[in-house]
Amino acid sequence: MSMKIIVGAQWGDEGKGKIVDLLSEDVDIVARYQGGANAGHTVVVNGKTYILHLIPSGILHPKVTCIIGNGVVLDPQAFIDELSLLESHGIDVRGRIFISHNAHLIMPYHKLIDSLNEQGTSKIGTTGRGIGPAYIDKFARVGIKIVDLLHRDLLVKKIKSNIEDKNLLLSRIYNSSMIDVDEIVDTYLQYDKQLDEFIKDTSLYLNQALKAGKAILAEGAQGAMLDVDFGTYPFVTSSNPTSGGACTGLGVSPTSIGSVIGVAKAYTTRVGNGPFPTELKDSLGETLRKIGGEYGATTGRPRRCGWLDLFSLRYSAMVNGIQEIALTKLDVLDDFDAIKVCVGYKYNNKLLKSFPLDLCTIEDIEPVYESLPGWKENIAGARNYSSLPGKCRSYIEFIEKYLEVPVKIVSVGATREHTIVR
Ligand code: GDP
Ligand code: IMO
Ligand code: MG
């Protein structure tokens, strides 16, 4: 059996949580491959809304096993809190959620440094969850892994050595107060007891599952345009949300990938700073925010809203190898007389042939729009493609034609029921 990858095709918050939950019906395992508690994946089931930050969105299906892969940076407290929240809703999670022994830990100093960095002049607008500093330590080869929790003496040694370094940085560069070693050591030794039952060699587990014919869904967080290599750098997150990240973030080979599904909103949003060519800074943007409920699931920040950017989406489809699109939040466009889509970028009055990767260019481009007629009808009740208004189908088909990728799932509301599978 092969693995399906679900990627965010834009700047995050495309509705990955809903789509992963939906597709989890037919899989055995859902595995998160990157990011950390910066993600906020919303799943609405039986009138209850769950916002998942670390635990994969398949957890609401009792038969699904969930994996937090080695590519994730794990905040133990955030994991424990999420576990308790799910259990308080009567969801039995024990024995069906595993964390890679190879995943790196988010430490209190990562969150502190993240927030101090954001007080400077070049703000990224991060979620403040310590993501960037944790990945810095991973790649600087000084990070602390989940597996280190199993070896008490080594853990204490690693924490102490890290804190010595961080304290130098905090006092000399950030002019901030220092961190207490003993308190952190005590807290993390406690986490060891709480996390022990969840720790596994998840790469081995996933490869054995693939061999045994199990169906696996790899769940990405964030989105391609926030990818550290392919996104609007430096206004990105510090991992690879693009589909390639699934292999390195889970320890499965490229030959086990069966397909890639891109989740895209019928318009575009972005949280935090950075270029956003189709952003609507006027009342139209506010209308989209209001109808779409566009407030961050993790930080509650208002999301920036704009028209669908097909030019960046085509680039995202290429980089991810997207074979089908799940188009979400189409219902949010119900009331618009005309709906614009960006079909190209102009720079110095010339149409660009490919997506620009240097910030100077992308900040200076002029989006080229096509205007499509709105359908002016409530589509939330539609359950099959043919019952959608003609103009709505034309909108979807315009997207498919431009991207040369079929739209296989259309989402017209937040619940599982609000879905059309073609
Ligand atoms: P994720 O991070 O990609 O999982 O997306 P978020 O959960 O951060 O944001 C998506 C928001 O849109 C959530 O509040 C979802 O409940 C909601 N949502 C998802 N699909 C639809 C849809 O088709 N229509 C509407 N109106 N809301 C949706
Ligand atoms: P989901 O999985 C939208 C954005 C932040 C900031 C940048 C870097 O719910 O789609 P970070 O804390 O990762 O260092 O912040 O990335 N960002 C997201 N935007 N959805 C997310 O996750 C995001 N996770 C991070 O706003 O601009
Ligand atoms: Mg989100």
Side-chain angles (χ1 to χ4, degrees):
M1 199 74 177
S2 57
M3 190 167 90
K4 267 189 195 164
I5 305 176
I6 307 284
V7 289
Q10 296 157 317
W11 276 276
D13 301 327
E14 299 90 348
K16 298 176 291 296
K18 164 173 170 163
I19 302 300
V20 169
D21 168 70
L22 191 80
L23 300 178
S24 295
E25 180 75 39
D26 301 320
V27 305
D28 302 295
I29 299 168
V30 180
R32 243 303 274 288
Y33 59 85
Q34 45 66 237
N38 49 349
H41 297 174
T42 314
V43 183
V44 185
V45 178
N46 297 332
K48 280 189 195 164
T49 299
Y50 302 86
I51 298 180
L52 299 157
H53 301 286
L54 277 167
I55 296 178
S57 306
I59 196 71
L60 302 175
H61 291 264
K63 285 191 192 135
V64 167
T65 297
C66 287
I67 300 291
I68 297 178
N70 57 280
V72 171
V73 282
L74 187 115
D75 178 342
Q77 194 55 52
F79 175 77
I80 291 161
D81 290 347
E82 208 162 305
L83 213 57
S84 314
L85 189 84
L86 288 169
E87 286 183 326
S88 75
H89 283 281
I91 296 156
D92 190 9
V93 292
R94 306 271 158 174
R96 62 184 191 96
I97 170 142
F98 299 107
I99 306 169
S100 165
H101 65 324
N102 237 344
H104 280 244
L105 285 163
I106 298 228
M107 306 297 290
Y109 45 80
H110 293 139
K111 288 193 254 186
L112 178 63
I113 294 168
D114 192 1
S115 76
L116 289 168
N117 282 339
E118 287 291 299
Q119 287 164 25
T121 44
S122 49
K123 290 192 183 85
I124 302 288
T126 72
T127 59
R129 298 299 189 267
I131 306 298
Y135 279 114
I136 289 175
D137 280 0
K138 171 174 175 170
F139 286 94
R141 297 165 293 184
V142 296
I144 300 175
K145 290 188 190 194
I146 297 278
V147 70
D148 296 331
L149 291 174
L150 304 176
H151 306 284
R152 191 191 165 97
D153 292 343
L154 180 74
L155 176 72
V156 173
K157 206 170 137 198
K158 280 195 167 186
I159 293 180
K160 284 192 168 160
S161 134
N162 261 286
I163 290 181
E164 270 168 28
D165 287 352
K166 293 328 180 244
N167 274 340
L168 278 179
L169 188 76
L170 288 169
S171 60
R172 295 201 185 155
I173 309 283
Y174 291 97
N175 211 8
S176 159
S177 54
M178 307 227 264
I179 306 164
D180 180 45
V181 179
D182 295 334
E183 197 186 316
I184 295 189
V185 168
D186 287 349
T187 313
Y188 276 71
L189 286 173
Q190 283 304 314
Y191 287 145
D192 174 30
K193 293 192 192 103
Q194 290 167 283
L195 296 186
D196 197 39
E197 66 178 288
F198 302 103
I199 301 172
K200 216 186 202 23
D201 179 345
T202 54
S203 164
L204 179 66
Y205 178 84
L206 288 170
N207 280 290
Q208 284 173 340
L210 282 166
K211 223 173 183 178
K214 305 272 187 209
I216 303 175
L217 209 59
E219 174 179 354
Q222 290 81 51
M225 303 311 292
L226 289 170
D227 187 283
V228 70
D229 286 289
F230 300 105
T232 46
Y233 192 90
F235 297 99
V236 293
T237 193
S238 301
S239 64
N240 288 119
T242 44
S243 54
C247 291
T248 51
L250 294 174
V252 296
S253 85
T255 49
S256 39
I257 308 304
S259 61
V260 181
I261 302 173
V263 186
K265 252 179 226 189
Y267 49 99
T268 311
T269 63
R270 161 161 216 169
V271 205
N273 303 332
F276 181 2
T278 63
E279 181 171 16
L280 291 163
K281 293 185 177 160
D282 54 10
S283 61
L284 272 177
E286 255 165 57
T287 307
L288 275 175
R289 184 176 313 119
K290 207 165 145 205
I291 304 175
E294 295 296 354
Y295 294 89
T298 296
T299 57
R301 289 179 292 176
R303 294 176 182 151
R304 299 157 63 192
C305 298
W307 296 122
L308 182 63
D309 184 346
L310 282 179
F311 194 66
S312 71
L313 196 51
R314 186 162 65 187
Y315 161 72
S316 164
M318 174 189 80
V319 171
N320 283 300
I322 292 174
Q323 290 150 313
E324 48 187 274
I325 297 263
L327 189 69
T328 62
K329 305 194 86 160
L330 196 60
D331 53 300
V332 175
L333 300 178
D334 280 355
D335 292 331
F336 288 84
D337 294 325
I339 304 166
K340 285 189 182 176
V341 286
C342 168
V343 292
Y345 285 1
K346 256 187 187 172
Y347 183 69
N348 278 344
N349 258 330
K350 279 200 192 114
L351 277 175
L352 293 182
K353 288 200 172 73
S354 56
F355 190 83
L357 281 170
D358 65 299
L359 205 60
C360 297
T361 308
I362 190 173
E363 275 177 338
D364 224 22
I365 65 99
E366 186 197 328
V368 179
Y369 289 109
E370 253 191 59
S371 185
L372 304 176
W375 45 91
K376 306 281 281 178
E377 225 178 281
N378 185 331
I379 59 166
R383 293 295 174 266
N384 51 63
Y385 191 67
S386 58
S387 62
L388 286 171
K391 285 174 182 157
C392 182
R393 279 183 276 136
S394 299
Y395 186 71
I396 297 168
E397 286 155 26
F398 185 93
I399 295 169
E400 288 182 314
K401 200 168 164 209
Y402 183 94
L403 297 177
E404 298 180 80
V405 180
V407 172
K408 287 278 178 76
I409 297 173
V410 179
S411 174
V412 293
T415 75
R416 286 176 185 167
E417 295 72 37
H418 286 103
T419 314
I420 297 167
V421 181
R422 289 169 79 194

